Amino acid sequence: MYLIFCHKSVILNKLIKMSLFIRNYKPGVAYNAQILWRFNSTTAETVKQGEDEEEFRVLDILHKKGKLQKRVNRRADIQPDRSEKMPTDQNWGNVWPGPRSFHPSSVPLPIRQGYVPKGQAPPGKKANAELMKIPNFLHLTPPVVKSQCEALKKFCTSWPKLLNSEEAIEKNYPMEIISSDYCHASPTIRNPLARIVTLRVKLSNLKLDSRARDKFLRLVGDKYDEKTDLVTLTADRCPVRKQNMDYVNYLLTACYHESWTVEDWETDKCLEDMEYYDFDLNPSKKNLVNWYLMSNNEDNNLNDEQVKNFDVSKIPNGVEYKSAVSELFNEGESDLALNKYDTSVRKLLGLPEKKIAN
Amino acid sequence: MLSRNLRFLSRRYSQGVTFRTTETSPSQQNENQIGLFYTVNNDVCKQLFGHGGLPKSYMKQTKTFTETSLMVRLPALDIINCIKATDFDKPVIRYMLYGEIGAGKSLTLAHLLHYAYEDGYLIVHVPWVSEWLRRVPRHKEMSNSPTHEGLVDLPLDGAAWLLHFKMQNQVLLKKGNLKISKEYVWSKREQTPEGAPLAELIEHGITRVKYACDVIDALISEIKILSNSKQCKTFVAIDGFNTFFYPLTRLSTPTKKKVTPEEVTLTKSFMELTKNDWVNGVIILTADQLGVSQDHQESHLPKYLLYKKGFEHIDPFVPVEVGRYSEREFMSCASYYRDRLWLRGPRETEGELKLASACNPYKFMELCAPL
C-alpha cells in the first residue's frame, strides 16, 4: 500500500516539474522581439519579465543589451495637469475667452476622439490631432453669450412698441436689406464678406398688373421664390457695401420700370408662346361653346371675339369643365387630372357617372 | 372515346358556371357578369371581323380555342350604359378608350361593335389606322388625289375598307332604304345618280379602285346626312385614332417627300366624321401607343398620344380607361385558359403568373402559351 502511494507521489512530482517547464519555456529572442514591437504602438504596457536567472550569460561585445535596458530618468517633481487642478466653480469665460484650437490641459473634460480600434476606447484628449482639427465652440457657451449680450445692451435702443408683430413689420418695412458685420481680433478690421448685400421684397408689395408681373418674373428669373412670394436680389460684385447697396436698389428699380414698359414685339405673342393654358383663348372653348349652341339648336356662327367673351357659367357644369381642362393642360396629364376631366365631361354631356368595380 | 367525351363534358359542366355567362347579347349584360366570358356567334364574328378588327394574336387564339370568347369588362359596360342614357338629338358624344399596351382596348372596341351590331347601328369601323398611315408593304399604292389638290390617295386601302364596311353593314345595306342625297359625277361616263342606294356607291368604290377614297369621302358625308335625318343611327369606331395626329406618316411620295397625315384624303374624311357637328350617332375612338413611332410611347394617356391638336379636335370627349385585370377577372381568365387547356399544371401557377404578368391581359396570354 505504501509502496504504491510512494510511486504515485513520484509521478505527481514529475508532472509538476513538466508543467513548470512548459510555463517558463521561452522559444527564443526573435519571438520576444516580435511581441515587443507589436505592443509598442498601443497604450497598454507589455508585462516584461526580467531575465531568467537560470540562463547562461551571453558575451555582449557591442553592449546591445545595455542599450535596450537603459532607463529614461523621469522628473520626480512633475506637476499634475492644469485641467485637474481647476476648481469646479471657475468662470469658464475667463479660461477660454476667444476662439482657439483645442488644448487638452485647458479643458477639464474627459473628451475622446479618433479612430476606434476593436475592443478599445477611442484615443484620449492628450496629443490628439483629431480634436485639434475640428472647430470648437468652447468660447460660446450659453452663459458667456448671455454675459456678452448684457454687456452690449447698453449700446442698443429699445424696440419700437408698435412694431409688435411680424405683420406690422412687414407692412411698414416691406423691403428687407440683409448684410453681415464681422468683428475679430486681427491686424485688419475689414472682412471681405461684409460687402455682400441682399435685398428681399415681397412681390405682392410691388404695384404690378398681370402683364407687368409676368414680365417682372421673366426678368428676375430664379430670384423669385413662388412659395414665399419673395424676390431676393444679392450683390457682391462691388468692393464696398455702400456700392453693393446702391447696385441692389438699382436692380430692383430697373426691373420694376422695365416690366412696366411695353415693347412693340410683345404684341406678337401668340397662343403657342403662352407660358400657361388660358381656356378662354384656346380652341377648346370654341368647341365647348359650339357644342352648347348646337345642342340647344341655336346658330353657332359666333366669331372668335364673341366666343372669347362668351360666359362659360351660362353653360350648365361649364365652369367645372373649364377648370378640369385648364388643370389638365397646366398641371400636366395624370390619372387624377383625367378622372376630374372625365367626371366634368360626363356632367356636361349629361351622361351617367362612371361605373366603379365593386 | 366515350369516356373522353364524358370527361370533356364534365369538365365543361363543372367549370362552366364559374367563368362563362350565357348572356350573349351585350346590351343585356350587367355588372354581375363582369369578368365572365361570353361567346360571339361565329357568323356574326365573321361578318363583323372578317376583314380585320381583332388583334392578330387574339385571332390566332380564337382559332386555337375554336370559339371567339370575349370577357365582359367594365369599360365596355360603362360605355354601353352611357350610350343607353344618351340623348340622340344632341351632337354625337365621343368616347376615348385608352390604356396600356395589351390592356384590351381593341377587344373592348370589339365588344362594343358587337353591341352596335345587335342594336342595329350602321357601323363605320376602322380596324387599325396605322394600317393606312404607318404600314408600308411592297404593294402599297399611292396616287395624287384628282379631286383634292395636294393630297394623297390610298386607293387599295380605301377599297379594302369599303369592302370591310360593306361586309359589316350587309344587313342594313340589303334593305336598300338608305339613299344618297345628291348626284356624284366621277368621270365623263361614270356617275352615281341622286337617290341611288348607298350600296351602289360602295360597290362603285370597290370596283373602281381609283375612286375609292373619293367614294369614302362621299360615303361619310352621306352617312352624316342620313344620321341627321334620322334614317339610321351610326356607330363610329376607330382603333388607333391617335395615329392621325402623329406629325409624320411612314409614307413618302415618289419625289421622296414625307407625307403628313393631313395630306392623306382618308385622314380628311375621318376627321370630318369625328367632329361633333352631326347627331344620332356614337363615336368611339382608341388611343394606342403602338399606333405611333417608338419615340412617342412614353405614356398611354390620351392627351399625350393625341397631342394638343388631337385633343382639341375631339374635346369634349369621355375618357374611358381600359385597365389591367382585377383579381376576379384574372382568376376567371385563368380558369378559362385551364378549360381550353391553354394553361396546365398545379393551381399555384396562377399566383406566379399573376406576378409575372402584372395582370396585363396580353402578357398573361403570352406567358400561358408555353405552359
Side-chain angles (χ1 to χ4, degrees):
Chain A
M1 180 67 191
Y2 174 70
L3 227 159
I4 292 166
F5 195 75
C6 181
H7 190 77
K8 255 191 180 172
S9 72
V10 167
I11 291 170
L12 212 81
N13 218 353
K14 265 189 179 174
L15 271 171
I16 290 165
K17 269 192 183 167
M18 186 91 160
S19 66
L20 269 174
F21 173 71
I22 290 167
R23 210 182 291 160
N24 292 332
Y25 176 70
K26 293 265 155 37
V29 183
Y31 180 73
N32 264 339
Q34 202 183 351
I35 297 278
L36 267 176
W37 174 81
R38 207 205 286 167
F39 278 110
N40 238 355
S41 64
T42 59
T43 52
E45 271 129 53
T46 47
V47 188
K48 205 177 171 190
Q49 285 179 337
E51 286 281 313
D52 209 326
E53 298 297 318
E54 282 162 45
E55 271 185 31
F56 287 109
R57 282 187 297 162
V58 181
L59 183 58
D60 187 13
I61 297 174
L62 293 173
H63 298 285
K64 271 187 178 171
K65 282 206 165 171
K67 265 181 198 168
L68 269 174
Q69 281 182 338
K70 204 178 212 175
R71 273 201 177 177
V72 181
N73 285 332
R74 288 195 167 191
R75 273 177 64 190
D77 58 339
I78 194 157
Q79 292 285 314
D81 208 26
R82 186 190 155 203
S83 62
E84 279 159 34
K85 288 199 295 182
M86 284 178 175
T88 49
D89 56 346
Q90 67 177 345
N91 186 351
W92 175 247
N94 294 342
V95 178
W96 199 280
R100 193 191 166 196
S101 63
F102 185 80
H103 193 272
S105 297
S106 309
V107 183
L109 300 170
I111 303 170
R112 289 175 173 272
Q113 164 95 23
Y115 175 72
V116 186
K118 210 170 185 183
Q120 291 181 41
K125 62 177 177 178
K126 282 188 180 165
N128 191 334
E130 296 298 327
L131 275 172
M132 281 149 66
K133 271 191 244 171
I134 53 168
N136 65 62
F137 289 90
L138 292 167
H139 60 293
L140 287 179
T141 51
V144 171
V145 172
K146 204 175 174 187
S147 67
Q148 286 179 357
C149 286
E150 285 297 322
L152 283 172
K153 234 178 197 172
K154 61 176 178 258
F155 301 111
C156 301
T157 53
S158 62
W159 186 259
K161 279 202 176 93
L162 288 174
L163 290 181
N164 49 4
S165 67
E166 283 290 323
E167 290 80 47
I169 298 170
E170 222 166 70
K171 194 183 163 231
N172 292 299
Y173 297 93
M175 202 164 80
E176 206 177 338
I177 300 277
I178 301 163
S179 59
S180 315
D181 292 308
Y182 296 86
C183 174
H184 41 74
S186 68
T188 172
I189 58 163
R190 318 220 177 274
N191 189 318
L193 295 173
R195 77 184 193 289
I196 300 169
V197 176
T198 304
L199 180 148
R200 286 206 309 194
V201 65
K202 279 212 167 173
L203 189 65
S204 51
N205 287 329
L206 299 177
K207 288 185 177 61
L208 297 166
D209 68 355
S210 65
R211 194 206 63 85
R213 186 176 183 275
D214 177 41
K215 195 169 176 187
F216 187 87
L217 289 184
R218 281 159 193 264
L219 287 172
V220 295
D222 62 352
K223 290 175 182 63
Y224 174 65
D225 183 5
E226 224 171 295
K227 279 182 201 154
T228 54
D229 193 39
L230 281 171
V231 180
T232 311
L233 300 169
T234 305
D236 58 354
R237 54 175 61 189
C238 304
V240 183
R241 179 189 294 173
K242 171 97 181 27
Q243 296 169 332
N244 277 320
M245 187 100 91
D246 289 345
Y247 182 63
V248 163
N249 282 328
Y250 158 74
L251 277 180
L252 184 65
T253 317
C255 285
Y256 179 77
H257 288 290
E258 186 53 44
S259 56
W260 271 107
T261 56
V262 182
E263 305 285 343
D264 297 339
W265 44 262
E266 282 182 39
T267 52
D268 297 345
K269 188 177 174 185
C270 58
L271 212 56
E272 278 78 42
D273 301 327
M274 289 297 283
E275 63 284 356
Y276 61 94
Y277 182 87
D278 188 352
F279 184 74
D280 290 333
L281 303 178
N282 273 284
S284 286
K285 170 143 189 192
K286 198 178 175 186
N287 287 341
L288 176 68
V289 172
N290 281 348
W291 171 83
Y292 176 68
L293 294 177
M294 259 190 74
S295 55
N296 286 352
N297 292 323
E298 293 171 32
D299 57 335
N300 54 351
N301 303 321
L302 298 183
N303 60 26
D304 287 351
E305 199 57 38
Q306 279 169 313
V307 166
K308 207 173 148 186
N309 295 329
F310 194 91
D311 189 8
V312 182
S313 53
K314 262 199 255 174
I315 304 169
N317 298 311
V319 180
E320 195 187 332
Y321 175 73
K322 175 185 168 175
S323 75
V325 175
S326 305
E327 192 187 322
L328 196 64
F329 276 93
N330 281 329
E331 324 230 311
E333 194 175 29
S334 63
D335 283 328
L336 198 72
L338 262 178
N339 271 337
K340 202 178 161 200
Y341 179 76
D342 187 15
T343 38
S344 69
V345 167
R346 279 171 199 249
K347 272 186 197 166
L348 184 76
L349 301 179
L351 292 176
E353 276 178 35
K354 189 179 185 175
K355 284 189 181 183
I356 295 162
N358 37 8
Chain B
M1 190 67 196
L2 184 75
S3 71
R4 194 175 152 218
N5 275 345
L6 205 67
R7 200 146 36 104
F8 184 72
L9 264 176
S10 63
R11 196 178 66 219
R12 267 201 106 147
Y13 180 74
S14 63
Q15 296 187 343
V17 276
T18 60
F19 65 88
R20 271 182 205 278
T21 171
T22 47
E23 187 57 73
T24 52
S25 162
S27 56
Q28 301 302 318
Q29 286 158 356
N30 57 30
E31 276 90 348
N32 296 333
Q33 276 129 359
I34 286 178
L36 304 184
F37 286 85
Y38 81 96
T39 309
V40 185
N41 185 356
N42 255 341
D43 295 336
V44 174
C45 191
K46 216 171 189 179
Q47 193 181 330
L48 276 175
F49 308 114
H51 289 271
L54 294 175
K56 220 175 205 171
S57 50
Y58 181 78
M59 279 303 267
K60 227 192 224 166
Q61 195 186 270
T62 55
K63 211 170 170 188
T64 318
F65 291 177
T66 62
E67 64 174 8
T68 310
S69 276
L70 290 171
M71 189 195 271
V72 181
R73 295 190 70 191
L74 198 63
L77 289 186
D78 193 15
I79 291 179
I80 290 171
N81 187 26
C82 284
I83 290 171
K84 281 177 185 166
T86 307
D87 177 6
F88 279 99
D89 292 330
K90 290 202 170 177
V92 285
I93 294 172
R94 290 160 290 188
Y95 301 86
M96 172 58 81
L97 292 171
Y98 69 97
E100 288 169 20
I101 294 172
K105 296 178 290 294
S106 299
L107 287 184
T108 303
L109 200 66
H111 188 178
L112 290 165
L113 276 171
H114 187 204
Y115 164 76
Y117 175 78
E118 299 237 311
D119 235 28
Y121 282 89
L122 183 74
I123 295 170
V124 182
H125 174 219
V126 180
W128 188 230
V129 175
S130 292
E131 184 79 18
W132 296 342
L133 300 182
R134 299 197 62 78
R135 194 161 160 265
V136 190
R138 197 175 291 172
H139 61 267
K140 190 88 169 178
E141 201 176 290
M142 277 173 56
S143 60
N144 289 328
S145 169
T147 47
H148 299 91
E149 193 63 41
L151 298 190
V152 178
D153 272 347
L154 301 171
L156 284 181
D157 290 312
W161 184 79
L162 280 173
L163 205 63
H164 180 63
F165 178 82
K166 188 180 143 195
M167 187 87 164
Q168 285 191 325
N169 298 297
Q170 48 187 318
V171 180
L172 278 177
L173 292 176
K174 254 176 207 158
K175 279 188 200 161
N177 51 3
L178 299 175
K179 303 274 197 300
I180 58 177
S181 63
K182 65 174 185 181
E183 187 183 28
Y184 288 94
V185 179
W186 308 109
S187 66
K188 262 184 192 170
R189 295 189 191 88
E190 292 164 302
Q191 59 201 36
T192 313
E194 187 185 333
L198 211 54
E200 198 182 314
L201 189 69
I202 296 160
E203 206 53 55
H204 180 257
I206 295 168
T207 47
R208 293 285 286 135
V209 174
K210 188 186 169 191
Y211 300 113
C213 289
D214 291 331
V215 166
I216 290 174
D217 202 29
L219 178 68
I220 279 170
S221 57
E222 287 302 326
I223 287 171
K224 274 170 110 171
I225 292 166
L226 287 170
S227 304
N228 276 336
S229 61
K230 303 277 161 80
Q231 291 190 44
C232 66
K233 46 183 184 174
T234 309
F235 184 93
V236 180
I238 301 180
D239 201 353
F241 184 67
N242 57 322
T243 311
F244 282 134
F245 296 99
Y246 188 73
L248 271 185
T249 64
R250 287 230 183 100
L251 311 171
S252 55
T253 58
T255 55
K256 302 284 178 202
K257 190 182 153 281
K258 292 274 183 195
V259 177
T260 59
E262 298 92 70
E263 288 171 338
V264 181
T265 41
L266 287 172
T267 311
K268 200 168 157 286
S269 313
F270 283 97
M271 285 297 119
E272 205 52 47
L273 187 66
T274 47
K275 279 182 189 167
N276 63 346
D277 55 355
W278 54 289
V279 298
N280 205 11
V282 180
I283 301 180
I284 294 176
L285 313 162
T286 69
D288 202 310
Q289 276 162 291
L290 294 175
V292 291
S293 103
Q294 293 240 316
D295 59 346
H296 199 72
Q297 297 190 352
E298 281 154 35
S299 159
H300 65 269
L301 299 176
K303 202 196 93 201
Y304 172 80
L305 288 173
L306 286 166
Y307 295 90
K308 187 163 180 277
K309 202 175 118 211
F311 183 88
E312 276 160 0
H313 179 77
I314 59 164
D315 84 324
F317 65 92
V318 183
V320 181
E321 187 179 11
V322 183
R324 300 172 179 182
Y325 279 147
S326 66
E327 175 79 20
R328 189 173 157 195
E329 286 171 333
F330 183 85
M331 290 324 285
S332 151
C333 186
S335 38
Y336 175 65
Y337 284 164
R338 277 197 187 277
D339 172 69
R340 298 280 110 190
L341 302 182
W342 191 243
L343 177 61
R344 288 178 176 219
R347 279 281 160 193
E348 295 82 63
T349 329
E350 264 95 325
E352 216 167 293
L353 281 169
K354 197 173 154 191
L355 280 176
S357 67
C359 284
N360 183 305
Y362 177 73
K363 260 192 202 148
F364 179 46
M365 188 181 92
E366 289 285 282
L367 285 175
C368 287
L371 294 175

